[in-house]
Amino acid sequence: MSDGTGAATGSGADADTGTDTGAGAGAAPGAGRRVRVVLVDDHRMFRTGVQAEIGRTEVTGVEVVGEAADVDQAVTVITATRPEVVLLDVHLPGGGGVEVLRRCASLLGAPEDPVRFLALSVSDAAEDVIGVIRGGARGYVTKTITGTDLVDSVFRVQEGDAVFSPRLAGFVLDAFASTDAPPVDEDLDRLTQREREVLRLIARGYAYKEIAKQLYISVKTVESHVSAVLRKLQLSNRHELTRWATARRLV
């Protein structure tokens, strides 16, 4: 999806962000502090919801200075606005969050005022977490995070802290503690990033409607992805798919 980018235009309309926002982002975690943020996500509805939730600068201290829907847009907006923190989705058209990090490497490593990245994704897969952290992100939180906690995470990343949703930190510790390269799974490599997301949710017992809602896609698109996964893995039904995913510890 490519739906345009540009400077934020206020709090935006209310939208279902797919997160449990609780009471919303309350008082900023540190009165008087400010942080400039760019939102990178290929779902406009999600960006609008995050903007409405955390972008009330007078309340949260977060100023959303730009948005992007794919890799090229992200690099352009980040370079132009030089935010302090980028909220980065992992799966994006054009190469994903890792590609954004690669192309913004000089901004990450700037000796003064570096741009810091916080991954914000629906995926909690170990390879996604490890990939963006190796790419230079300072943290990784899932889209189940509340608005208040997301604001707090943004400020912590701005200050140089590493921030992770519960259980995800273990993936990073295990990965960096090991000197062994992860084995290549040729079957899994046949799948696109989106197909992997659908695969994991199917294996966890989600219904098509639930998957569509969580990934912000239509039920028909979910069905198409499932058909593609079954074809590529030479499986017959979702029960075989679940066994396949469980055997590889993808669930």
Side-chain angles (χ1 to χ4, degrees), residues 6-246:
T9 56
S11 62
D14 268 347
D16 179 3
T17 65
T19 66
D20 175 13
T21 56
R33 292 196 296 174
R34 290 289 183 271
V35 57
R36 300 170 68 253
V37 171
V38 163
L39 304 178
V40 180
D41 194 289
D42 63 338
H43 294 102
R44 183 174 58 183
M45 182 185 298
F46 182 78
R47 296 199 312 271
T48 300
V50 173
Q51 162 75 5
E53 183 67 24
I54 74 171
R56 295 169 290 136
T57 308
E58 71 284 356
V59 176
T60 65
V62 175
E63 180 187 2
V64 178
V65 297
E67 300 181 8
D70 59 33
V71 170
D72 288 341
Q73 291 174 2
V75 174
T76 298
V77 173
I78 293 166
T79 302
T81 60
R82 291 296 295 263
E84 292 156 296
V85 177
V86 177
L87 286 175
L88 179 68
D89 193 11
V90 174
H91 301 147
L92 295 166
V98 172
E99 179 64 12
V100 175
L101 289 162
R102 186 188 70 79
R103 290 170 59 179
C104 291
S106 62
L107 300 180
L108 274 82
E112 295 184 6
D113 302 322
V115 177
R116 294 189 167 101
F117 288 75
L118 174 61
L120 175 62
S121 176
V122 70
S123 171
D124 60 1
E127 63 264 30
D128 288 337
V129 179
I130 294 164
V132 294
I133 297 304
R134 288 191 187 280
R138 293 294 303 174
Y140 193 116
V141 295
T142 61
K143 290 180 178 179
T144 57
I145 193 170
T146 66
T148 300
D149 287 344
L150 183 56
V151 170
D152 180 64
S153 296
V154 166
F155 274 104
R156 288 173 59 193
V157 166
Q158 178 198 25
E159 294 166 357
D161 290 346
V163 179
F164 295 92
S165 290
R167 82 182 278 269
L168 300 188
F171 295 155
V172 179
L173 291 174
D174 290 345
F176 284 90
S178 174
T179 57
D180 297 327
V184 174
D185 189 325
E186 293 182 359
D187 289 334
L188 190 61
D189 285 347
R190 294 191 186 101
L191 306 182
T192 66
Q193 292 282 7
R194 180 63 85 191
E195 287 167 354
R196 294 185 191 191
E197 288 179 335
V198 172
L199 163 66
R200 290 189 183 91
L201 293 173
I202 284 287
R204 291 172 182 174
Y206 284 71
Y208 285 2
K209 287 184 178 180
E210 294 172 323
I211 296 172
K213 182 177 181 181
Q214 185 158 345
L215 298 182
Y216 296 93
I217 58 180
S218 69
V219 173
K220 192 172 186 64
T221 300
V222 174
E223 293 172 348
S224 297
H225 285 314
V226 172
S227 296
V229 170
L230 293 174
R231 183 182 68 256
K232 290 179 180 181
L233 300 181
Q234 297 183 336
L235 301 173
S236 300
N237 53 56
R238 64 181 297 165
H239 300 296
E240 290 184 2
L241 187 152
T242 298
R243 287 197 296 269
W244 186 92
T246 301

